[in-house]
Amino acid sequence: MSNVDVVVTGLGATTPLGGDVTSTWDALLAGENGIRRNDNEWVEKYDLPARLAAPLAVEPTDVLPRVQARRLDRCEQVALIAAREAWADAGFDLPSDGSEPVDPDRLGVSIGTGVGGPLTLLGQDDLLEQQGLRKVSPLTVPMLMPNGPAAHVGIELRARAGVHSPASACASGAEGIATAWQMIQNGRADVVVAGGAEACIHPITVAGFCQSRTLSTRNDAPDRASRPFDTDRDGFVLGEGAGVLVLERADHAIARGARIYGRVAGYGMTSDAYHITGNHPEGLGQVKAIENAVRVAGLTAADIGHVNAHATSTVVGDVGEAAAIRKAIGDHPVLTAPKSAIGHLVGGAGAVESIFTLLSLYYGVIPATRNLENLDPRVELDVVTGQPRKVEITAAVNDSFGFGGHNVALVFTTA
Amino acid sequence: MADKPSDAEILEGLSEIVEEVAGVSPDDVTADKSFVDDLDIDSLSMVEIAVQAEDRFGVKIPDDELANLKTVGDAVTYVSSHA
């Protein structure tokens, strides 16, 4: 069991459904769709079979000052936007000379990303090839490095207790939160700004996912393409965005009268040691991650009323996860699969979906899964469809799994 | 070959580059200002400014020369004498 109470006092996000948490959450509850036809010229040029994407609803350059934006990779831009929102939402002012709302030595950052800055890496490589060394930006390396998003947030907020950037593919955002929780548990920090960010919609990532046959090719029906747990699912849709949460020692939050969304009660992190992209056939790593998370939270399976599923809309992954949930928790939790609306944000997914999980606890409502017309009979779980469902729950799990066999389960509870 | 630019034209061109790269208002880019101490321009941005100035004025600014360009006036003088 954990020894230190860790609460969440601030939320921030920019997603395919909205430029902040409120607009994203409202759109999710309203059943809106963030998936679009990918009309970039390169889709036609390379004849890519998957022609869908879930781009940001609000362009980062419409939000950030021009000069700051040009010094940041898109992945860093979304992380900074989400972090600023979360920081303000927690009731903190930006630090300035003579005013530091959190002691910098007690403030950390843990923001993961799946692939860092491929748009910079590949864009600058094009410049080198076509125009030579002189045209390569001196900011190339800090813009492409995967710790860039966390580092920029740490500089802006003056975090000196440590800046971390977990990389576990599609579990990176969840691992960012788990790492933050651990930092507070072991006394390294009182406040940690945590989450994940991704912006990698580029011909090479899309081509690579096409070649691994993991993307939906329901090109003529973007609003129906991402359909987790449905019998007709055919792959995920690549999205972009970031989610950031302010984790805080409960006594620290209470002392300053902060609004508390809920608690991060525990996590479980395991690795499959099986296959670089494929799930373990018996889901052993997923089961153990969920079981560990519930145990660390000091709860039992019966306490878990809701699971915000990783469910990416791939044929194999969704039923594997459902089996793991049934084995680790049982068939009583109510599920939802937000990737049906926002697509797969890769390193941002676990963080944005943890925000949804917390808001479900905070408001007592679980958003519906879009496009779930025929539940795969192997799922055997209660998945919310149609309208959001009002619930009375006190504990919920967010699952995240990543290429490489990374399994992260987070347990959140009401405050 | 175009006519050699006047010092005022060089200053105007430099101020446009500095605004593009670092967001400094052109009004603040005057000959007496230090790039680092007054205009808060870091070494990475100085590289970008130098590359753009080379393209704009048709000069070469080697790294050891760039290190000596402390003020906007230093840069104007350098460009003027090498253009």
Side-chain angles (χ1 to χ4, degrees):
Chain A
M1 252 192 89
S2 62
N3 298 314
V4 180
D5 241 2
V6 177
V7 297
V8 176
T9 54
L11 303 175
T14 181
T15 76
L17 284 180
D20 58 18
V21 170
T22 301
S23 58
T24 296
W25 178 246
D26 288 349
L28 186 69
L29 288 179
E32 290 177 19
N33 165 49
I35 291 160
R36 306 281 179 263
R37 208 177 146 80
N38 184 352
D39 285 326
N40 282 300
E41 46 79 26
W42 44 262
V43 174
E44 194 68 45
K45 177 179 175 188
Y46 299 117
D47 196 21
L48 299 175
R51 302 187 168 204
L52 301 162
L56 290 164
V58 177
E59 272 300 306
T61 48
D62 290 344
V63 179
L64 293 170
R66 180 189 62 82
V67 170
Q68 183 166 43
R70 74 188 292 280
R71 294 174 67 92
L72 300 171
D73 181 80
R74 188 172 174 90
C75 182
E76 297 170 337
Q77 293 174 356
V78 294
L80 199 60
I81 290 167
R84 282 178 180 168
E85 183 191 359
W87 189 250
D89 190 45
F92 294 128
D93 293 327
L94 289 177
S96 59
D97 291 339
S99 166
E100 282 159 341
V102 177
D103 176 358
D105 291 328
R106 302 295 302 161
L107 174 63
V109 173
S110 174
I111 296 177
T113 171
V115 294
L119 304 186
T120 293
L121 172 65
L122 295 157
Q124 293 296 320
D125 184 60
D126 287 346
L127 285 175
L128 179 63
E129 291 280 338
Q130 292 157 13
Q131 300 185 51
L133 172 66
R134 293 177 69 260
K135 292 299 181 180
V136 174
S137 169
L139 289 156
T140 297
V141 173
M143 287 173 71
L144 69 82
M145 64 191 193
N147 55 316
H152 278 288
V153 171
I155 291 166
E156 171 144 327
L157 302 181
R158 294 195 192 169
R160 299 199 183 109
V163 168
H164 301 278
S165 38
S168 47
C170 310
S172 303
E175 188 167 342
I177 296 167
T179 301
W181 186 85
Q182 197 64 58
M183 287 177 78
I184 297 175
Q185 285 299 323
N186 64 20
R188 289 181 54 202
D190 296 324
V191 179
V192 182
V193 177
E198 205 76 70
C200 66
I201 300 174
H202 182 280
I204 194 65
T205 47
V206 176
F209 282 127
C210 282
Q211 289 299 77
S212 64
R213 308 293 193 268
T214 46
L215 295 179
S216 171
T217 55
R218 198 180 291 269
N219 299 326
D220 295 332
D223 64 325
R224 302 180 64 232
S226 185
R227 38 198 317 119
F229 298 129
D230 186 85
T231 48
D232 292 329
R233 66 190 181 279
D234 74 329
F236 74 85
V237 175
L238 183 62
E240 56 179 358
V244 172
L245 302 78
V246 175
L247 272 61
E248 189 167 355
R249 275 180 67 109
D251 55 354
H252 191 276
I254 290 165
R256 66 184 187 87
R259 181 256 333 274
I260 293 172
Y261 286 103
R263 296 170 64 231
V264 185
Y267 74 81
M269 266 201 280
T270 64
S271 41
D272 281 353
Y274 174 70
H275 186 273
I276 197 65
T277 59
N279 293 356
H280 188 284
E282 295 166 47
L284 294 182
Q286 296 183 4
V287 171
K288 198 160 274 298
I290 298 169
E291 287 176 345
N292 288 353
V294 174
R295 191 185 70 251
V296 168
L299 302 174
T300 65
D303 298 318
I304 306 299
H306 167 49
V307 176
N308 190 298
H310 182 67
T312 63
S313 185
T314 60
V315 173
V316 175
D318 292 12
V319 290
E321 180 180 7
I325 292 167
R326 289 198 311 273
K327 186 164 184 187
I329 303 176
D331 60 7
H332 60 277
V334 178
L335 268 63
T336 194
K339 290 185 182 73
S340 59
I342 61 172
H344 193 345
L345 306 194
V346 192
V352 168
E353 292 161 18
S354 286
I355 291 172
F356 296 159
T357 312
L358 270 164
L359 291 175
S360 283
L361 285 162
Y362 191 66
Y363 291 116
V365 61
I366 299 173
T369 302
R370 299 186 85 257
N371 299 319
L372 182 44
E373 292 163 342
N374 297 295
L375 184 67
D376 187 317
R378 295 168 293 175
V379 172
E380 300 179 85
L381 287 163
D382 178 6
V383 186
V384 180
T385 60
Q387 294 297 314
R389 190 184 302 176
K390 287 201 168 65
V391 287
E392 289 185 23
I393 50 172
T394 56
V397 167
N398 172 247
D399 282 345
S400 296
F401 313 122
F403 276 8
H406 308 269
N407 309 297
V408 183
L410 297 163
V411 173
F412 299 96
T413 61
T414 47
Chain B
M1 179 95 188
D3 290 342
K4 181 175 167 171
S6 70
D7 283 4
E9 287 167 339
I10 295 168
L11 179 62
E12 185 184 348
L14 278 174
S15 66
E16 288 174 14
I17 292 169
V18 170
E19 184 189 28
E20 156 68 18
V21 172
V24 176
S25 166
D27 294 342
D28 292 334
V29 183
T30 53
D32 58 321
K33 294 286 177 61
S34 158
F35 288 107
V36 174
D37 297 332
D38 297 323
L39 304 181
D40 199 25
I41 291 169
D42 65 17
S43 60
L44 301 178
S45 291
M46 278 305 292
V47 173
E48 282 194 87
I49 289 166
V51 168
Q52 291 200 22
E54 286 181 337
D55 289 350
R56 183 160 188 145
F57 301 114
V59 296
K60 284 272 177 238
I61 310 177
D63 282 357
D64 51 354
E65 296 286 354
L66 180 61
N68 295 326
L69 305 182
K70 304 291 187 197
T71 66
V72 175
D74 294 341
V76 172
T77 303
Y78 180 89
V79 170
S80 177
S81 59
H82 291 80

